[in-house]
Amino acid sequence: MEVLEDRQLMATFTVTNLGDSGTGSLRQAIIAANAQPGPDTIDFGVAGVIRVGRTSLPSITDSVAINGGSAPTFAGAPVVTVDFHGTKGFNFANGADGSSLSSLSLVSAGNAGVTLNASHITVQGNYIGLRADGSSVAGNRGDGIQINASSHDNLIGRTDPVSSISYYNASAVSMQPVSGWQGLRGTSVSGQYLLAGTSSANGLLYVGPITGVGGASFSVNYPGATSTSVYGPDDLGNGVVRLVGSYKTGDDMVNGFLYEGTTAGLSTAANYRTIDYPGAKFNYVHSTMGGLAVGNADGPEGNLPIGTGHAFMYDVVHNTFLPDIVYPGSTSTTAYGIWYNGGTSYTIVGGYTTLAPGGGVGHGYIVDYDSATGQYTNWTSLDYPNGVAGKDYETHFEGISSVEKGVYTLAADSIQRGASNTIQGSLVTIRRNTDGSFGPNSWVDLNFPGVNGWTSNDAVMGNQAVGIVIGDTGEFSYQATVNTEFQLSNVISGNCGNGIGIYGSNDNRIAMNNIGTNAAGTLARANAKNGILVTNGAARNLIGGQATNGNDPTAGVFSRPPQGNLISGNRGNGVLINKGATQNTLSGNFVGTTASGNLALGNGQDGVAIDGANGNQLIGCTFQQDPFVFYNVLSGNRGNGLRINNSNDTTVQANFLGVGANNASVVANGGDGLLISGSSRNTQVGGVIPLGNVISGNNRNGIEVRDKASGFVSFNTFAGLYAFGAAAPNRQDGILITSTGGNNVIRTSIVSGNLGNGIEIGGNATGVQVTETAAGTNTAIAVALPNGGSGIKISGRAHGNAIGGFQPSIVPQVTVSSNRRYGIEIVGSAYDNTIFHTYVGTNYNGTAALGNDLGGILLGAGTKSTTIGGSSSLLQNKILNSGGNGVTIQSSKGNLVQGNQIAGSQGWGLYAQGVCTATVVNGNVIQTNALGNVNLTNSKGVSYNS
């Protein structure tokens, strides 16, 4: 709002001609801004091409906003081009902290188009390396943007995904006047809401669209009351609503109330109850959900006529008050919003004050409550962040909602202390961290257009808000929708170096840019090297962002994560992280595709390469959210989707590698989906639901782990199929491990639909375990989704590997079924491998036939010392319904086949041939096989005991 702006006079220097120098030139404006202490602005009163002469423009040495968007005819894309003509590009030097550069086309510099040596610089809305048509290449000879080690905390692009706010005057609501909205909830009908408030002396409930057009309005009056206000609605289903609020009966007491029934029963007195805090004179029930309601009461202690305030919690089911809500260390607390998370979990918002040093100012809070234990956790205090530095703001939360798992939106009102007309309503979004605590938050201010005054936000439901506007023309109620989507900022393409180079610089944000494409994101305009280079120890840089715009691919809702970048069409890698760069994060980016995320526009090498850089991560959701809501899509690249080489402690969670953003189209990487090589240690690929990845559709393997890589974990990976869907084959194996590093694990993954084997453990691989994983079935482990080879193949001299395990999982055991060759195939010179607690040829619980075409398990010639089963019943394998033999032993020595069930084979239950010295078969249940149960006729050296 106007009243929150700090009225400092800044000098504005206007570029009035396209000349290289002299009065009205860009050069002269920079000189003048450098000479004028403090922040200044350079505007443009002219559009066209500024051609720099033989001398470079001066470095920028003071804070300045260079605003190409001020030029005539500007309509969102640059209309002013700065052609550096081989001289140096813009240089933000020491002293230029806090500057911004926006809405210009920057081309043909002899070095980088933009160099940052100062900090807190914003570069936004520019075409860097492209002319103003957004397509024609005129590259800068260095990087598009070069960020040096002396520079930090810069924003390249934009972070605000809000595209617009749609405001609606409440005049369309059928009951008038709408004196004030105080509550908002969704209903079971999409696009329909419950809005609650007052209409003169009556309570008001509106059911309908947020616009107020159509729908139905209902008068709510507590029986016998002279006035009623409704603060909080809730939809209980089957036409039943619950309403809470307050009423008066003519005296000076304010009573709280709760209504529960249909809208047809609003005049039925039995549907109402009074909720008065013991001894209190003023009672306000603000919000209800689940089995609880929250509110505030004054009294009975001291300070008459208004006593000490209480933030109360009321148990609706048992009609009783629970202990007060008290922010730790506060002198007063309010409770205005409650959200039911399911089970016994609730989240509550309100405000508090404290008289501690630095206190005395109101703060908003959010906290979790467990109704089973009565315990509060994750107390979090929040304050309005958008005000003028040095000013005090009271902040209070009026309501809460959570329409997206793990993400809450809050209604906030903030007031500048000691000033008039300074209320600022905001919609606040806050996301949970993986540990359940509350993490990053963003604030969107609400200001009803055309009104000189203030706008409150009194309730929220997702991206919908309601409140009151008080302006110079009077007071009225409003509704609003906050719209979000991807909005292109910079296009950084066609440069002779990298699109963006981060050289030892920390804490930068790169968001909402096209890097390596035209402005439309449909054609390659390659940077000659990488799209983004992060190097020389650069740390804590965020490429993309974690807003979702409602994206939920596994629910069939596809919306591009609005803070991500499109990084495609570059000649090198999309992103290269090397030389000790650490703690960098990628989220929400499309790397190697067009802007749709569903067609290839590949980078010439890998989508993302991490080489000699520890502790970096690609994150597509948090543990608290639905899967893939801000995924990276690394598809369509000529090399691998992701390559990790000689890099430790990398985390890869909830991304797509090799398929389109729509979870329905193959957009193959030319190499592997994910390649882990060198001495890389501790690569975490996936995690508990919802952190798994889709690594499918690639021209080689889904995942390849080679060389001496160790500590690799594939957890909840879809390899060869879409997420919870049909086949999207990797053209070779789903997962190939040849690494000798050891301690590599495949767990709780679905590895199906691949043209090669599901899983292959080859080379000299050792220390690999496959546990609670399915190979050859759909996600439910109930229907065939075959691999073209075997479900699991152990080849080469692979040794010391285990198929089977007992890790708790939604997948009960390893299941290897429906594959075109064998369930498990051990060939070459593989030795000392073990198979246990595994189902071969059946569904997840052994009740349906899903046989492998050539047989259950093959021990090929030259292999030795394989153990199948064991003496304990826990180790038993079920080898069922095989298209050939259940178990085939071909000139393989020193094996143990013990304690298994082998049945239903189209061939023999167990068949051996050739020299099988020191092979023991005992304690198995071998029955009902088509050709017979055991055939050792053509073998030597097998000891058999049924």
Side-chain angles (χ1 to χ4, degrees):
M1 292 180 65
E2 291 276 342
V3 293
L4 294 182
E5 297 177 4
D6 196 10
R7 295 300 188 182
Q8 293 182 345
L9 293 176
M10 296 186 294
T12 298
F13 304 97
T14 301
V15 177
T16 59
N17 63 66
L18 303 176
D20 171 56
S21 61
T23 303
S25 68
L26 174 59
R27 182 185 301 273
Q28 187 59 43
I30 294 173
I31 293 170
N34 285 339
Q36 174 73 28
D40 301 308
T41 298
I42 296 177
D43 281 346
F44 291 80
V46 62
V49 178
I50 298 172
R51 185 180 175 91
V52 178
R54 295 183 178 181
T55 304
S56 300
L57 293 174
S59 294
I60 297 161
T61 58
D62 198 11
S63 180
V64 64
I66 302 176
N67 180 18
S70 59
T73 73
F74 177 81
V79 295
V80 176
T81 297
V82 181
D83 186 340
F84 294 104
H85 196 214
T87 64
K88 294 180 180 179
F90 280 124
N91 177 32
F92 288 85
N94 183 36
D97 294 3
S99 294
S100 63
L101 175 66
S102 62
S103 304
L104 296 173
S105 168
L106 307 175
V107 300
S108 300
N111 60 343
V114 180
T115 300
L116 303 185
N117 290 300
S119 300
H120 299 281
I121 308 295
T122 297
V123 180
Q124 188 173 86
N126 303 284
Y127 293 171
I128 303 178
L130 298 183
R131 296 197 179 276
D133 61 4
S135 184
S136 299
V137 172
N140 300 290
R141 294 180 190 170
D143 295 342
I145 301 175
Q146 177 176 324
I147 309 176
N148 291 327
S150 60
S151 176
H152 57 84
D153 292 282
N154 303 292
L155 171 59
I156 311 301
R158 57 181 297 168
T159 60
D160 181 5
V162 176
S163 57
S164 64
I165 303 176
S166 303
Y167 292 93
Y168 311 99
N169 192 302
S171 59
V173 175
S174 55
M175 181 181 292
Q176 292 294 324
V178 179
S179 305
W181 293 126
Q182 288 129 343
L184 174 62
R185 280 278 195 263
T187 71
S188 58
V189 179
S190 177
Q192 300 289 301
Y193 299 89
L194 303 176
L195 280 69
T198 58
S199 178
S200 297
N202 304 301
L204 168 61
L205 173 66
Y206 166 80
V207 183
I210 197 69
T211 61
V213 177
S217 299
F218 303 91
S219 181
V220 182
N221 291 292
Y222 191 92
T226 58
S227 65
T228 303
S229 293
V230 185
Y231 296 139
D234 195 29
D235 182 7
L236 303 184
N238 298 316
V240 178
V241 298
R242 183 188 295 157
L243 309 174
V244 294
S246 64
Y247 70 92
K248 290 184 177 182
T249 57
D251 56 18
D252 59 354
M253 183 169 180
V254 178
N255 306 95
F257 80 89
L258 179 146
Y259 170 86
E260 195 166 305
T262 66
T263 54
L266 283 166
S267 60
T268 302
N271 292 338
Y272 292 83
R273 73 176 91 162
T274 295
I275 301 176
D276 282 347
Y277 189 91
K281 188 173 184 180
F282 302 96
N283 301 272
Y284 303 91
V285 190
H286 291 300
S287 181
T288 182
M289 198 173 184
L292 300 176
V294 295
N296 284 86
D298 287 313
E301 306 90 346
N303 302 319
L304 295 176
I306 298 177
T308 302
H310 296 264
F312 66 74
M313 188 181 305
Y314 176 78
D315 185 328
V316 174
V317 176
H318 299 97
N319 196 25
T320 185
F321 285 91
L322 301 174
D324 285 358
I325 303 165
V326 180
Y327 189 93
S330 66
T331 55
S332 66
T333 305
T334 64
Y336 270 58
I338 187 169
W339 187 264
Y340 178 51
N341 299 308
T344 60
S345 174
Y346 293 81
T347 302
I348 299 165
V349 297
Y352 74 96
T353 58
T354 176
L355 296 182
V361 177
H363 310 274
Y365 74 83
I366 182 170
V367 66
D368 290 323
Y369 175 75
D370 188 325
S371 61
T373 64
Q375 297 299 306
Y376 293 90
T377 55
N378 299 317
W379 286 103
T380 302
S381 178
L382 296 172
D383 293 300
Y384 180 70
N386 297 337
V388 179
K391 306 292 184 182
D392 287 334
Y393 293 88
E394 307 271 358
T395 299
H396 191 270
F397 291 134
E398 309 285 326
I400 181 173
S401 73
S402 180
V403 299
E404 179 183 336
K405 187 177 178 182
V407 179
Y408 296 85
T409 51
L410 316 180
D413 284 334
S414 303
I415 305 173
Q416 182 179 326
R417 299 182 75 199
S420 60
N421 297 331
T422 56
I423 293 178
Q424 176 65 68
S426 306
L427 187 149
V428 183
T429 301
I430 186 168
R431 190 184 68 250
R432 285 193 187 272
N433 295 316
T434 296
D435 64 4
S437 62
F438 296 106
N441 56 89
S442 61
W443 297 59
V444 177
D445 290 341
L446 301 174
N447 295 296
F448 199 93
V451 175
N452 182 22
W454 54 263
T455 303
S456 73
N457 184 9
D458 295 321
V460 65
M461 184 67 192
N463 63 334
Q464 319 292 337
V466 297
I468 298 172
V469 177
I470 297 180
D472 47 13
T473 60
E475 177 179 337
F476 60 92
S477 299
Y478 79 96
Q479 307 88 248
T481 301
V482 177
N483 306 298
T484 61
E485 62 181 351
F486 175 83
Q487 298 166 83
L488 178 62
S489 185
N490 301 292
V491 181
I492 308 171
S493 303
N495 299 286
C496 298
N498 305 289
I500 300 172
I502 305 176
Y503 300 90
S505 176
N506 302 333
D507 301 303
N508 300 289
R509 180 78 178 270
I510 301 172
M512 305 174 77
N513 306 290
N514 285 1
I515 304 173
T517 76
N518 63 348
T522 56
L523 298 173
R525 296 293 182 263
N527 294 294
K529 294 184 179 179
N530 306 288
I532 300 175
L533 171 65
V534 186
T535 191
N536 296 350
R540 299 182 303 278
N541 297 287
L542 175 57
I543 300 173
Q546 300 184 349
T548 71
N549 196 29
N551 188 45
D552 191 357
T554 59
V557 179
F558 303 100
S559 179
R560 180 175 175 180
Q563 294 174 324
N565 302 281
L566 176 65
I567 311 171
S568 300
N570 300 284
R571 292 180 189 164
N573 305 285
V575 179
L576 173 59
I577 303 173
N578 68 3
K579 295 184 180 179
T582 186
Q583 299 179 58
N584 300 288
T585 299
L586 281 78
S587 293
N589 303 287
F590 289 1
V591 184
T593 73
T594 63
S596 71
N598 299 318
L599 296 172
L601 190 62
N603 295 288
Q605 297 181 21
D606 302 318
V608 176
I610 302 175
D611 193 352
N614 300 334
N616 298 288
Q617 55 185 353
L618 292 85
I619 303 295
C621 74
T622 69
F623 170 69
Q624 306 291 337
Q625 294 177 285
D626 287 317
F628 312 117
V629 290
F630 49 83
Y631 51 15
N632 296 287
V633 177
L634 278 56
S635 302
N637 299 286
R638 295 183 183 179
N640 307 290
L642 170 61
R643 178 172 61 90
I644 301 169
N645 182 59
N646 294 328
S647 300
N648 305 332
D649 304 313
T650 304
T651 301
V652 184
Q653 294 177 331
N655 304 286
F656 282 9
L657 289 80
V659 301
N662 61 4
N663 195 36
S665 56
V666 168
V667 187
N669 292 295
D672 297 325
L674 167 60
L675 172 61
I676 304 169
S677 60
S679 60
S680 298
R681 299 194 305 271
N682 303 329
T683 303
Q684 178 72 38
V685 180
V688 297
I689 295 172
L691 302 178
N693 300 277
V694 177
I695 308 180
S696 305
N698 298 285
N699 281 350
R700 296 191 70 248
N701 307 287
I703 300 174
E704 180 179 358
V705 184
R706 72 184 193 197
D707 303 329
K708 296 182 179 181
S710 62
F712 156 78
V713 178
S714 167
F715 193 173
N716 276 311
T717 298
F718 298 93
L721 67 164
Y722 299 110
F724 306 102
N730 294 295
R731 299 190 67 82
Q732 296 185 14
D733 296 333
I735 301 176
L736 170 63
I737 301 179
T738 59
S739 169
T740 61
N743 192 31
N744 294 306
V745 177
I746 302 168
R747 60 174 299 195
T748 319
S749 295
I750 306 294
V751 189
S752 303
N754 300 284
L755 300 187
N757 305 291
I759 298 168
E760 182 172 358
I761 303 169
N764 205 29
T766 187
V768 178
Q769 182 174 16
V770 180
T771 179
E772 284 75 37
T773 284
T777 75
N778 68 346
T779 306
I781 318 179
V783 176
L785 195 65
N787 294 292
S790 295
I792 300 175
K793 181 178 182 179
I794 302 179
S795 62
R797 291 188 56 79
H799 60 282
N801 303 294
I803 311 301
F806 301 100
Q807 300 205 41
S809 169
I810 61 169
V811 180
Q813 70 281 314
V814 173
T815 303
V816 190
S817 303
S818 304
N819 298 287
R820 297 304 186 203
R821 285 183 57 80
Y822 295 91
I824 300 173
E825 179 180 6
I826 302 180
V827 294
S829 301
Y831 64 97
D832 288 339
N833 298 294
T834 303
I835 304 166
F836 65 97
H837 191 225
T838 293
Y839 285 12
V840 181
T842 183
N843 66 343
Y844 69 95
N845 64 0
T847 60
L850 295 173
N852 297 285
D853 288 1
L854 298 187
I857 298 176
L858 169 67
L859 304 185
T863 64
K864 63 181 180 181
S865 303
T866 300
T867 299
I868 303 175
S871 58
S872 169
S873 61
L874 295 175
L875 302 177
Q876 181 192 65
N877 300 293
K878 292 182 180 292
I879 307 166
L880 309 175
N881 312 306
S882 300
N885 303 313
V887 176
T888 300
I889 306 173
Q890 295 179 336
S891 300
S892 177
K893 301 176 181 180
N895 306 295
L896 174 64
V897 182
Q898 183 178 42
N900 305 286
Q901 180 187 2
I902 307 174
S905 304
Q906 297 301 305
W908 295 91
L910 183 144
Y911 177 82
Q913 68 177 24
V915 177
C916 302
T917 305
T919 292
V920 176
V921 179
N922 67 38
N924 301 283
V925 178
I926 307 177
Q927 59 189 12
T928 63
N929 297 284
L931 297 183
N933 294 327
V934 178
N935 185 342
L936 305 177
T937 304
N938 298 316
S939 68
K940 294 181 180 181
V942 177
S943 173
Y944 173 71
N945 185 345
S946 60

